Amino acid sequence: MKDIKNIIFDLGGVILNIDTRKTAMALEELGVKDLKGHLSQPALVSFFNDYETGKIDDNAFVRKLQSLAGEGTTEQHIIDAWNALLLDFPSERIELLRSLRKKYRLFLLSNTNEIHYKQFQQQIYLQTGSYLEDLFERTYYSHTINLRKPDVACYQFVIKENKLNPSETIFVDDSEVNITGAREAGLLTEHIHAGRSIMDINW
């Protein structure tokens, strides 16, 4: 790390614990059967990607999932099910970020959406008294910058806006495809695979 000046972190699976199975189960309980089957349909894949890049709003997103659910499913039912995958922010990771910020420029780059954003910001504030913006120099969310990992342009956006030298910058993510995209943008990478956390990196 002696030549590293900047660190770009992913959020879910890296700083925030998540479990996508919980959302899948919650939606199934609302009548959305065979969620994986739905997600494999090109039109719905595009729909989810459009939501994460801010091309459709919360109302359109919720109404679409309502249309796949059982009769009597409310908007709040859908929102609660969608947020079920968001778990906790381990305190040791938050303390690590606070420590690293004293030595490096820290950035956050997350594929997310407005409903999740509202929920995880509330969660981290209740847990720590801080928002994510208090822990990073800049935070970037796919639904606000209209770019999504692993698109190389997404990483380049952060690099250019902050005048970063990619050879002095590490990108940390739990997705192999996102790691590949970051490498294509010239960034150094750390893959948080199963059984590994940011606490295991030799900072």
Side-chain angles (χ1 to χ4, degrees), residues 6 105 107 137-138 140 156-165:
N6 323 293
R105 297 178 69 190
F107 302 90
E137 181 176 327
R138 294 289 302 275
Y140 295 91
Q156 292 174 334
F157 181 86
V158 177
I159 291 168
K160 182 176 180 180
E161 187 160 289
N162 297 284
K163 299 180 173 59
L164 305 180
N165 180 343

Side-chain angles (χ1 to χ4, degrees), residues 3-148:
D3 297 321
I4 300 301
K5 297 181 180 178
N6 323 293
I7 309 171
I8 304 172
F9 285 95
D10 174 38
L11 180 61
V14 174
I15 298 167
L16 168 65
N17 281 330
I18 61 173
D19 186 347
T20 56
R21 295 171 299 177
K22 289 184 176 294
T23 282
M25 291 172 60
L27 288 173
E28 285 186 8
E29 289 176 3
L30 295 177
V32 183
K33 303 299 183 184
D34 188 25
L35 184 62
K36 288 185 178 180
H38 283 302
L39 293 179
S40 67
Q41 298 173 16
L44 206 55
V45 170
S46 176
F47 172 76
F48 279 95
N49 288 346
D50 284 350
Y51 183 47
E52 285 200 338
T53 51
K55 295 175 183 175
I56 60 174
D57 63 18
D58 293 351
N59 289 334
F61 178 76
V62 171
R63 285 197 301 270
K64 176 64 175 179
L65 288 185
Q66 269 186 296
S67 74
L68 299 173
E71 186 176 351
T73 300
T74 68
E75 291 185 3
Q76 193 58 52
H77 288 149
I78 294 295
I79 291 170
D80 291 344
W82 185 242
N83 283 335
L85 64 89
L86 304 174
L87 303 181
D88 65 308
F89 289 89
S91 58
E92 65 271 17
R93 297 180 193 172
I94 302 303
E95 290 307 311
L96 176 64
L97 292 174
R98 288 174 173 153
S99 175
L100 290 175
R101 193 170 182 185
K102 297 174 184 177
K103 299 188 290 182
Y104 307 101
R105 297 178 69 190
L106 300 190
F107 302 90
L108 183 72
L109 177 60
S110 175
N111 285 349
T112 190
N113 55 80
E114 184 66 21
I115 292 175
H116 282 169
Y117 172 82
K118 292 174 183 175
Q119 180 68 15
F120 62 63
Q121 287 283 39
Q122 180 183 48
Q123 285 181 221
I124 194 169
Y125 185 78
L126 289 174
Q127 280 190 241
T128 69
S130 300
Y131 292 107
L132 287 166
E133 284 67 27
D134 299 321
L135 301 172
F136 297 92
E137 181 176 327
R138 294 289 302 275
T139 55
Y140 295 91
Y141 305 104
S142 60
H143 70 289
T144 60
I145 64 174
N146 310 124
L147 293 167
R148 187 177 183 276

